[in-house]
Amino acid sequence: MKKAAFILKKTVSVTLAFLMLLSFSACGKREEVTVSIWTPEAKYDMMNEFMQEFAKLHEDEIDLKYSVSREEEDTCKETVLADIDGAADIFPFPDDQLDELKEAGALLALDVDPATALAPFGGTGSVAYQSVVRDDKMYAYPETANGYFLYYNKKYLSEENVKSLEKMVQIAGNINKKVSMDLSSGWYLYSFFRGAGLTLKLDETGKKNICNWDSSDTGITGREVAQAIANLAVQRGFKSMDDDEFIKSVQNGRVIAGINGAWNAEKVLHAWGAGYAATKLPTFRAGHTDLQMGSYAGYKVLGINAKTKHPEWCRKIIEFIVSKDNQIKEFEKTGEVPANLEVADDEKVKDAPAVKALSDQSKYADLQRVAPSYWDAAGKFGITLASGNPDKKNISVLLYTMVKDITR
């Protein structure tokens, strides 16, 4: 019996040793994956949390070493194009910059079926699909809806008041407050001309702009629109403000309404508390007609560097970030509107003012598709009017010069 017990014990020991060897061998075979990610300051902590969760989920498959660095979406394209080899494996950008990044060889075409991958974002007929698919290939995943609408403080303005831009500005002026919008940005300036039914689009080459904003034979002329902007700019209750000034003025109580982006929802909510509200853009008056303001729409997206050594794992990381559960978490942390439509019925999302406002404004919104010459030309025009046209230049001349520069 002792001999049998010894043999059994020895057999068990050898078996255990073999199993341990297999275990160590399996651990040793885990793929080593090193991934770098760029993300905006506002999402830095959140992105680190997501990466920690992803690493834990896949700890039996990979030895993941990751780094998260700060880079804003709006500046990311320039940073990537300055050094594609040195850029992050995963980076964020507005969808209108996709073509330039793609043509420069900076974006990886994802190994997925676009229709299937984008089903949670609206499928083949959606704006999301148009934003990230080129020639049946998908180059990024939508992360958050990128658009703008009207924030307003219910302590000062009613639902009826905010239907008209002129009415809001009048009320604000009477109580020494402000309504704001960034007239120096072509992104927002577009809303007036689009509202009048005027055209700005790319030509068939995709390299130049077509623009009729200076036309004099349209129902509402470009000059009438430009004059409406000029009249607005000098009102006591209005001030053109960029993002930083808008948020500061919301926080100090100077601004009671403002046209701004979805990404600032959390900051505005925190500042106004019970007064916080949001809705679609108002009407404005050009000539003798009240016109619904239009807007640009699109997405902030996540793409993969074409130079990455781990394309499949980068794709899995992005799919994890834009999954339903993480879209809800991102909404809770940042207030930005989720791109993934699977969250639309979630109680935390569906009743949020910013989500409803962006949805309502989408009826009057267009994808942002313009050649680079638009931005400087529109910015100069907007700055001139926002400052009250100090040199008293003829509005028609200013308009003609802007359109000439836009279409050059």
Side-chain angles (χ1 to χ4, degrees):
M1 289 292 294
K2 285 184 179 180
K3 186 175 182 181
F6 174 76
I7 293 172
L8 177 62
K9 185 176 180 182
K10 186 174 181 181
T11 302
V12 169
S13 297
V14 170
T15 302
L16 285 174
F18 178 69
L19 289 174
M20 288 178 68
L21 183 62
L22 281 178
S23 175
F24 285 130
S25 176
C27 289
K29 286 183 179 179
R30 283 194 310 162
E31 184 180 359
E32 291 187 2
V33 176
T34 301
V35 173
S36 57
I37 302 169
W38 285 347
T39 192
E41 171 69 38
K43 300 178 184 180
Y44 179 77
D45 291 338
M46 178 193 76
M47 195 60 69
N48 272 294
E49 291 175 14
F50 285 168
M51 291 307 300
Q52 289 172 15
E53 292 171 11
F54 184 86
K56 188 171 183 179
L57 278 173
H58 296 277
E59 61 184 354
D60 292 336
E61 303 168 75
I62 57 172
D63 177 14
L64 179 62
K65 293 179 174 60
Y66 65 87
S67 62
V68 180
S69 303
R70 297 169 176 84
E71 179 70 43
E72 298 304 313
E73 287 117 339
D74 291 344
T75 60
C76 196
K77 181 192 73 175
E78 284 74 21
T79 309
V80 170
L81 294 182
D83 181 10
I84 297 174
D85 289 328
D89 294 286
I90 298 171
F91 51 82
F93 58 94
D95 70 273
D96 68 293
Q97 297 179 355
L98 187 147
D99 291 312
E100 194 171 348
L101 287 163
K102 172 181 169 292
E103 289 174 14
L107 274 180
L108 181 75
L110 306 181
D111 186 20
V112 295
D113 170 48
T116 303
L118 291 171
F121 304 87
T124 55
S126 67
V127 173
Y129 191 95
Q130 297 172 45
S131 297
V132 298
V133 176
R134 300 290 184 273
D135 299 323
D136 298 323
K137 293 181 179 180
M138 183 170 158
Y139 287 89
Y141 270 94
E143 182 183 10
T144 56
N146 191 23
Y148 51 95
F149 46 84
L150 178 74
Y151 293 100
Y152 70 96
N153 193 325
K154 293 185 291 187
K155 294 178 182 178
Y156 303 97
L157 297 164
S158 69
E159 289 184 12
E160 189 64 30
N161 296 153
V162 299
K163 292 179 180 179
S164 163
L165 181 58
E166 288 77 17
K167 183 64 176 178
M168 280 190 292
V169 170
Q170 179 188 11
I171 292 172
N174 289 341
I175 57 175
N176 199 30
K177 302 288 186 181
K178 301 291 182 185
V179 174
S180 81
M181 178 181 183
D182 188 359
L183 296 181
S184 71
S185 169
W187 207 53
Y188 295 106
L189 195 71
Y190 176 79
S191 61
F192 292 102
F193 292 95
R194 198 277 192 186
L198 299 174
T199 301
L200 170 66
K201 62 182 181 179
L202 288 170
D203 69 4
E204 60 185 18
T205 71
K207 303 294 185 183
K208 292 186 67 176
N209 295 310
I210 297 173
C211 182
N212 73 342
W213 289 6
D214 59 344
S215 296
S216 57
D217 59 353
T218 49
I220 302 295
T221 66
R223 193 186 192 289
E224 288 176 314
V225 175
Q227 189 61 58
I229 299 169
N231 293 343
L232 170 69
V234 296
Q235 297 300 306
R236 182 183 180 191
F238 178 85
K239 190 172 188 302
S240 178
M241 299 182 184
D242 64 15
D243 249 27
D244 289 341
E245 187 178 4
F246 167 70
I247 290 301
K248 288 176 183 175
S249 297
V250 163
Q251 292 168 338
N252 65 27
R254 187 185 182 202
V255 160
I256 60 171
I259 294 171
N260 202 267
W263 57 88
N264 278 322
E266 195 68 19
K267 293 177 182 177
V268 179
L269 170 61
H270 183 75
W272 285 346
Y276 171 73
T279 187
K280 70 173 182 63
L281 298 185
T283 62
F284 74 102
R285 176 153 288 220
H288 301 289
T289 307
D290 290 327
L291 304 167
Q292 170 62 50
M293 297 179 78
S295 63
Y296 271 133
Y299 292 90
K300 292 179 181 178
V301 303
L302 289 170
I304 299 173
N305 193 324
K307 306 289 186 179
T308 185
K309 295 179 181 178
H310 302 286
E312 286 303 305
W313 282 109
C314 285
R315 178 177 59 79
K316 289 177 181 180
I317 288 170
I318 293 179
E319 289 172 347
F320 176 74
I321 292 169
V322 301
S323 64
K324 177 181 177 179
D325 289 346
N326 284 334
Q327 286 268 279
I328 294 171
K329 290 177 184 177
E330 182 164 352
F331 172 74
E332 291 178 308
K333 291 177 182 293
T334 69
E336 292 197 46
V337 178
N340 190 327
L341 301 181
E342 292 179 338
V343 309
D345 293 329
D346 186 270
E347 293 295 331
K348 299 169 185 174
V349 177
K350 68 179 182 180
D351 295 327
V355 174
K356 186 176 186 306
L358 199 59
S359 175
D360 290 345
Q361 181 60 32
S362 66
K363 304 179 187 75
Y364 314 102
D366 299 318
L367 268 176
Q368 179 183 302
R369 293 293 179 265
V370 292
S373 61
Y374 170 67
W375 301 108
D376 283 345
K380 289 176 184 176
F381 177 82
I383 289 169
T384 298
L385 296 189
S387 59
N389 193 10
D391 296 330
K392 305 304 176 190
K393 293 182 179 178
N394 184 284
I395 290 289
S396 295
V397 173
L398 289 173
L399 192 60
Y400 170 79
T401 302
M402 174 177 65
V403 173
K404 182 181 71 173
D405 291 340
I406 287 173
T407 56
R408 71 174 187 270

